[in-house]
Amino acid sequence: MADSTSIPSFKELSLSDSDPVANHPTTPPMPATLSEIQTIATHVQPPTIPPHRSHDPSNNLKRSDPFQFGSRYLEEGDSIFEFNAWDHVDPSTDPLYTSYTAHQLAFQRTHAVTPFDARRFAAHPHKWWDKFYTHNTSHFFKDRKWLRQEFPILSECTRPRTAAEMADPRPGRNVILEVGAGAGNTAFPILAGNENPRLVIHACDFSRKAVELIRAHEAYDGERIRAEVWNLADGTETLPPGVEPGSVDVVVLIFVFSALSPEQWGQAVWNVWRALRPGGEVCFRDYGRGDLAQVRFKKGRWLEENFYVRGDGTRVYFFGEEELRGIWTGRVRAEKEGREGEEERSMTEGRDEAATTGVASAGSGAEETARDEEAENPSFEIVSLGVDRRLLVNRQKQLKMYRCWMQGRFRKPESSWLASGRPQSQSLDEAYVQASGGIISPTRS
């Protein structure tokens, strides 16, 4: 048996020595006994390598803030094909993709949809969505289980209510209106996590076929979730069945606004405004400008700038951040009206003057002006609005795909004139007519 003094010391086996080659023989002597081997093994630690930030759990937690989209950043020296996705990657840093994008957009403009097809797709858009949901049922989209993570207000809607809250007759985060509900991939995940006995979800869609899919779902009960056909851009001032003006706490618009033509935005915003109570919010997510889905459109799909028709006949628009700010604050509509010419402005002034005659009982002149301006051009508060960029990669084929989405929260101001002096049982339309002495009618152009 070898002498125990031949066993190297712990210091000699340490990997932290400044000169391991000088301190260790090429083949160190083996310990003499099994117990000695075990003793050394319990004291010598293997070298550790700091984990890559993308493997670090602190960088991969599910985000709770709607605009902290992720923390896997692509930095200099990283292998782009190490992971399936990277967050916040600006495609303008990729010269090849930038050149490809410019070429594609120019090609699309010069190979637009024919005037005949443009009219055909615009005439009856609902039939194209009916066809879509006939061929793509509930298996096409995944359930959006991330919604409450991205929009915390939905958690407020679905949390349990206290006894005091149940006894309070005042409304409070109990009514959700989802527009563009599709096959229910938003409504049913919200319902599945609901603990609020007062919650009611109105799930509406332009497509009759989509509504049929929701009603056929095993979780549909007709009490907590009510599915109806409704056009977000309906110009007849009609809200979904069962939805009173000013009764909705949250409107959910997930990839639905992009299906409207730019001419319909103003009416859609007004319909949302009418449905929401003062202080109510819009949860918005849709396609962003420069998204891969836009760039790869082929010839015969371009309708107008950033507006396309898909191969299945459905239409899609790609938004910019400032454009969305203008739409929801009313700036876009105001600028459009400002370009209509002096004749139209004169007609509007004459109409307003006639409408306000004899309604002194409705309030001061300043109040009347505020009411009229609000009715003509509702302005939401921008709670938050951001761009969600993500670089997806196909590691097998070595492909890069730049995606871009817009996400925001818009609030109807508490200071809305319709918020004060209205009995709870009185609809906003009734309050509007009463305040105007029965002369002003809340109609839209």
Side-chain angles (χ1 to χ4, degrees):
M1 179 180 293
D3 189 86
S4 60
T5 58
S6 65
I7 301 175
S9 68
F10 296 142
K11 181 179 180 181
E12 289 173 331
L13 289 176
S14 172
L15 296 175
S16 62
D17 281 0
S18 58
D19 190 359
V21 176
N23 289 333
H24 301 304
T26 304
T27 305
M30 294 297 294
T33 66
L34 179 61
S35 62
E36 291 169 345
I37 295 174
Q38 293 172 336
T39 300
I40 293 175
T42 59
H43 288 81
V44 177
Q45 299 297 324
T48 59
I49 300 173
H52 187 281
R53 65 184 175 281
S54 297
H55 291 295
D56 186 346
S58 65
N59 285 333
N60 283 294
L61 296 176
K62 289 185 176 180
R63 54 189 182 268
S64 58
D65 186 292
F67 301 105
Q68 294 177 356
F69 293 115
S71 58
R72 183 176 288 164
Y73 297 96
L74 182 63
E75 298 178 356
E76 187 176 356
D78 287 331
S79 172
I80 194 171
F81 296 106
E82 182 179 2
F83 299 101
N84 292 327
W86 301 88
D87 295 300
H88 309 292
V89 180
D90 188 345
S92 65
T93 61
D94 186 335
L96 185 61
Y97 184 79
T98 301
S99 175
Y100 170 71
T101 298
H103 175 270
Q104 278 291 103
L105 296 181
F107 176 82
Q108 292 166 0
R109 294 186 189 100
T110 56
H111 296 79
V113 175
T114 65
F116 172 80
D117 281 339
R119 291 191 298 269
R120 182 166 63 94
F121 292 125
H124 303 287
H126 64 276
K127 79 173 186 179
W128 302 105
W129 285 106
D130 283 339
K131 288 183 178 181
F132 174 86
Y133 285 108
T134 298
H135 297 99
N136 303 287
T137 55
S138 56
H139 67 275
F140 187 82
F141 297 107
K142 294 181 179 179
D143 283 350
R144 294 164 178 159
K145 299 177 181 179
W146 46 266
L147 280 170
R148 278 179 289 183
Q149 189 84 22
E150 299 291 343
F151 300 108
I153 192 173
L154 295 177
S155 295
E156 170 63 21
C157 294
T158 58
R159 68 170 176 80
R161 294 312 192 242
T162 64
E165 289 173 321
M166 291 296 294
D168 191 343
R170 294 173 298 179
R173 305 297 188 203
N174 296 317
V175 181
I176 297 174
L177 169 60
E178 186 200 359
V179 186
N185 301 97
T186 292
F188 288 119
I190 293 175
L191 189 65
N194 176 51
E195 298 181 86
N196 175 10
R198 285 185 169 183
L199 181 71
V200 175
I201 302 173
H202 295 274
C204 302
D205 200 278
F206 192 37
S207 167
R208 189 172 302 277
K209 182 62 179 179
V211 171
E212 291 174 359
L213 291 174
I214 295 177
R215 291 176 176 174
H217 195 282
E218 59 183 2
Y220 184 81
D221 62 5
E223 180 179 355
R224 294 296 174 208
I225 179 170
R226 302 166 187 174
E228 300 289 349
V229 176
W230 185 61
N231 179 6
L232 174 60
D234 188 346
T236 65
E237 303 301 320
T238 302
L239 292 177
V243 176
E244 295 294 329
S247 66
V248 174
D249 297 294
V250 179
V251 173
V252 179
L253 299 175
I254 307 295
F255 297 107
V256 60
F257 218 74
S258 56
L260 303 176
S261 67
E263 292 74 21
Q264 296 176 303
W265 294 342
Q267 184 65 57
V269 170
W270 169 244
N271 287 339
V272 171
W273 178 275
R274 289 185 65 233
L276 279 173
R277 66 170 180 80
E281 290 192 13
V282 177
C283 298
F284 181 96
R285 185 171 174 86
D286 223 313
Y287 296 103
R289 195 155 298 160
D291 181 51
L292 177 66
Q294 176 183 14
V295 175
R296 66 185 179 186
F297 271 112
K298 305 301 182 183
K299 66 179 181 179
R301 298 299 171 195
W302 190 91
L303 291 167
E304 57 183 272
E305 200 66 23
N306 303 306
F307 194 36
Y308 300 80
V309 61
R310 300 185 182 96
D312 58 10
T314 61
R315 299 178 298 174
V316 59
Y317 190 92
F318 296 85
F319 295 97
E321 182 175 347
E322 286 306 310
E323 183 176 43
L324 283 174
R325 289 184 186 277
I327 292 170
W328 288 96
T329 60
R331 188 180 72 240
V332 167
R333 182 178 178 87
E335 291 174 351
K336 179 182 178 181
E337 291 179 348
R339 294 191 297 266
E340 290 180 348
E342 189 61 36
E343 181 179 352
E344 177 62 24
R345 286 196 294 272
S346 298
M347 292 175 62
T348 302
E349 290 170 2
R351 181 186 62 195
D352 292 343
E353 182 179 355
T356 55
T357 302
V359 293
S361 61
S364 68
E367 289 175 339
E368 293 167 6
T369 301
R371 293 168 186 173
D372 292 346
E373 289 178 352
E374 182 177 302
E376 285 298 319
N377 196 30
S379 178
F380 283 82
E381 298 171 352
I382 305 296
V383 179
S384 53
L385 179 60
V387 183
D388 180 5
R389 295 190 184 277
R390 195 158 300 143
L391 172 60
L392 307 179
V393 300
N394 184 317
R395 290 186 283 178
Q396 182 178 5
K397 297 182 178 180
Q398 301 283 287
L399 298 176
K400 296 183 290 184
M401 297 163 282
Y402 291 92
R403 300 307 309 269
C404 179
W405 302 280
M406 306 301 302
Q407 185 167 304
R409 289 170 56 203
F410 316 125
R411 180 182 295 134
K412 182 176 181 178
E414 290 278 6
S415 59
S416 170
W417 74 270
L418 292 173
S420 59
R422 178 174 66 90
Q424 184 177 333
S425 60
Q426 185 182 38
S427 73
L428 295 187
D429 278 353
E430 290 170 342
Y432 195 111
V433 174
Q434 177 180 324
S436 67
I439 296 177
I440 300 177
S441 176
T443 57
R444 300 289 292 166
S445 57

